[in-house]
Amino acid sequence: MDKLLIRGGVPLSGEVRISGAKNAALPIMCAALLSAAPLRLANVPHLRDVTTLLNLLGGMGVAVSLDEKLGLELDAGRLHTPLAPYDLVKTMRASILVLWPLLARCGEARVSLPGGCAIGQRPVDLHIKGLQAMGADVRVEHGYIIARAKRLKGARIFTDLVTVTGTENLMMAACLAEGTSVIENAAREPEVVDLANCLKAMGANIEGAGSDTITIEGVSTLAGAAHRIMPDRIETGTFLVAAAATGGSVRLRDTNARILDAVVDKLREAGATITADDDSIALEMDGPPLSVNLRTSPYPAFPTDMQAQFMALDCIARGTAVLTETIFENRFMHALELQRLGADIEISGNTAVVKGVAQLDGATVMATDLRASASLVIAGLVARGETVVERIYHLDRGYECIEEKLSQLGAGIKRIR
Ligand code: UD1
């Protein structure tokens, strides 16, 4: 299994390119299932989750062609097997995103339940309820969701909590349903808007994406289209936090500060100077960071996917920070590993109290989930001496060439195979 070896203490400096967003690419690739004509995608990140989804789509009969310029063409004209098997779904919860497009297009779908997840229970009850509201017959048998419907019917759907992939699944199904659907309490994440833009390019009738009420007027078929995946706001935020924690100065290209206001605000509170134009963000840090409190919430508030990285920053900040996680119940696993590096963290329920220490010391730590891994890398970059991060397959699910990009910024980091 690959590991990362990090020699800490170097302030990050220089310029890197931000990749396309994992959480936009995955639902948009699933949208290809909705049309018999090809969908051409640009700026697709080269990630393990993308490869997993390509395998899943390939098994259903989707023809895949890739070019060397991060372009991807998906042609679901000969879709033959509306099945998402356990072996693939268990490694990537986002596989649930094939459920509704398959049902809308084929009239039936068998998708394995995603099962447990390191960061919490993550049920899919809201996805299933939404399907039932649109007239599908849904059963759970032998660990599989089995759904059937001749043609889904438009419905008013209210979810009692905000779910990102739930909103995306509903929006995709409603595109080919008969009549009008209204999704209330919809997720407002920029990735939902990116998916809506792609669906609109395919001929869908969608209004209100980016607000908490999305209205979709069903159409009978969708066409092919070309779409460019938006920049990854979590990768952007991770590099900004890494630069702030190491006292560095970086410029990130092909990204956009407007999709990460909450993160930029917190970095300014930590003492960073941030400037941005239409497609780049620059951060400069003068001196050690100040502690920042945060509370995770659905967009546009502070993202749960950035909580772990900020905890690493707070470990070496001046002051004491209180971090509250409200989205997932078990998302502090990185805290134990950060303590191995000398961090002072106390956890009580969904709250972590982090007292800044003057110095972290390198050690061997183990990555437990995707964003936890990123926080350990950041901690390794600031720690004295060598840090080894084990189980980095989590990191490869969601960060494109992380060690190459960090090396480009001057970090002492290498992959050990
Ligand atoms: C998406 C993101 C993930 C991010 C999360 C929250 C993708 C591929 N993944 O995950 O990176 O951390 O949003 O911003 O976009 N819930 C239910 N029942 C459901 C669905 C969700 O109870 O049917 C709960 C979840 O357990 C969680 C909360 O709702 O507590 C939010 O989860 P959700 O927004 O659905 O997360 P994902 O879409 O899986």
Side-chain angles (χ1 to χ4, degrees), residues 109-320:
R110 267 167 65 89
V111 175
S112 169
L113 281 169
C117 172
I119 63 175
Q121 281 187 23
R122 303 182 91 178
V124 288
D125 54 316
L126 298 171
H127 295 245
I128 295 178
K129 261 195 209 156
L131 267 187
Q132 287 167 331
M134 293 176 86
D137 168 27
V138 189
R139 281 170 296 140
V140 176
E141 272 175 21
H142 307 294
Y144 277 79
I145 304 169
I146 302 170
R148 285 199 181 84
K150 276 216 177 82
R151 187 174 175 199
L152 292 170
K153 295 208 168 19
R156 175 183 168 265
I157 299 164
F158 171 79
T159 56
D160 60 358
L161 50 80
V162 177
T163 158
V164 178
T165 47
T167 301
E168 291 165 345
N169 244 336
L170 276 159
M171 197 163 70
M172 287 195 274
C175 286
L176 290 181
E178 193 184 331
T180 307
S181 300
V182 180
I183 309 170
E184 292 187 9
N185 202 24
R188 291 181 282 168
E189 268 65 3
E191 293 78 12
V192 173
V193 178
D194 206 31
L195 171 63
N197 288 340
C198 177
L199 292 168
K200 284 196 233 174
M202 294 166 76
N205 240 321
I206 302 173
E207 267 177 34
S211 77
D212 60 6
T213 306
I214 305 179
T215 306
I216 304 116
E217 197 73 54
V219 293
S220 53
T221 53
L222 290 177
H227 180 80
R228 183 177 173 81
I229 306 288
M230 64 173 281
D232 196 312
R233 65 193 164 97
I234 305 302
E235 188 198 23
T236 307
T238 302
F239 276 94
L240 290 176
V241 174
T246 57
S249 162
V250 296
R251 183 166 170 270
L252 309 178
R253 271 186 288 120
D254 292 355
T255 187
N256 185 340
R258 285 193 298 275
I259 51 179
L260 77 179
D261 283 335
V263 168
V264 167
D265 265 12
K266 287 290 163 192
L267 284 165
R268 287 196 171 122
E269 225 178 287
T273 304
I274 297 181
T275 48
D277 58 26
D278 280 351
D279 65 354
S280 78
I281 308 178
L283 175 143
E284 222 179 301
M285 194 74 183
D286 194 11
L290 306 173
S291 288
V292 283
N293 298 331
L294 59 88
R295 182 184 179 84
T296 63
S297 262
Y299 191 85
F302 189 89
T304 173
D305 285 351
M306 284 301 303
Q307 174 260 108
Q309 298 88 321
F310 268 84
M311 186 183 285
L313 177 100
D314 277 326
C315 286
I316 45 97
R318 273 188 287 168
T320 298

Side-chain angles (χ1 to χ4, degrees), residues 35-103:
S35 168
L39 178 64
R40 282 198 315 282
L41 301 175
N43 203 29
V44 179
H46 185 59
L47 299 170
R48 212 160 58 98
D49 273 6
V50 168
T51 313
T52 304
L53 185 54
L54 287 177
N55 288 334
L56 192 60
L57 296 175
M60 295 170 185
V62 176
V64 175
S65 45
L66 280 159
D67 69 33
E68 67 285 359
K69 287 182 163 168
L70 311 170
L72 178 63
E73 185 177 288
L74 299 169
D75 183 346
R78 294 182 179 196
L79 199 58
H80 50 63
T81 312
L83 166 75
Y86 176 68
D87 277 353
L88 288 170
V89 174
K90 73 175 180 200
T91 64
M92 188 182 64
R93 185 188 146 85
S95 312
I96 191 76
L97 282 161
V98 299
L99 176 61
W100 293 44
L102 280 181
L103 186 65

Side-chain angles (χ1 to χ4, degrees), residues 357-405:
V357 296
Q359 183 75 55
L360 294 178
D361 284 315
T364 297
V365 287
M366 196 191 287
T368 48
D369 68 68
L370 172 56
R371 306 306 170 185
S373 319
S375 91
L376 297 178
V377 170
I378 294 171
L381 292 172
V382 295
R384 191 165 45 188
E386 274 183 11
T387 296
V388 176
V389 184
E390 295 193 338
R391 297 205 180 165
I392 56 163
Y393 53 85
H394 292 292
L395 211 53
D396 294 333
R397 284 188 42 218
Y399 289 93
E400 186 175 60
C401 308
I402 189 162
E403 73 274 21
E404 280 139 50
K405 290 187 181 183

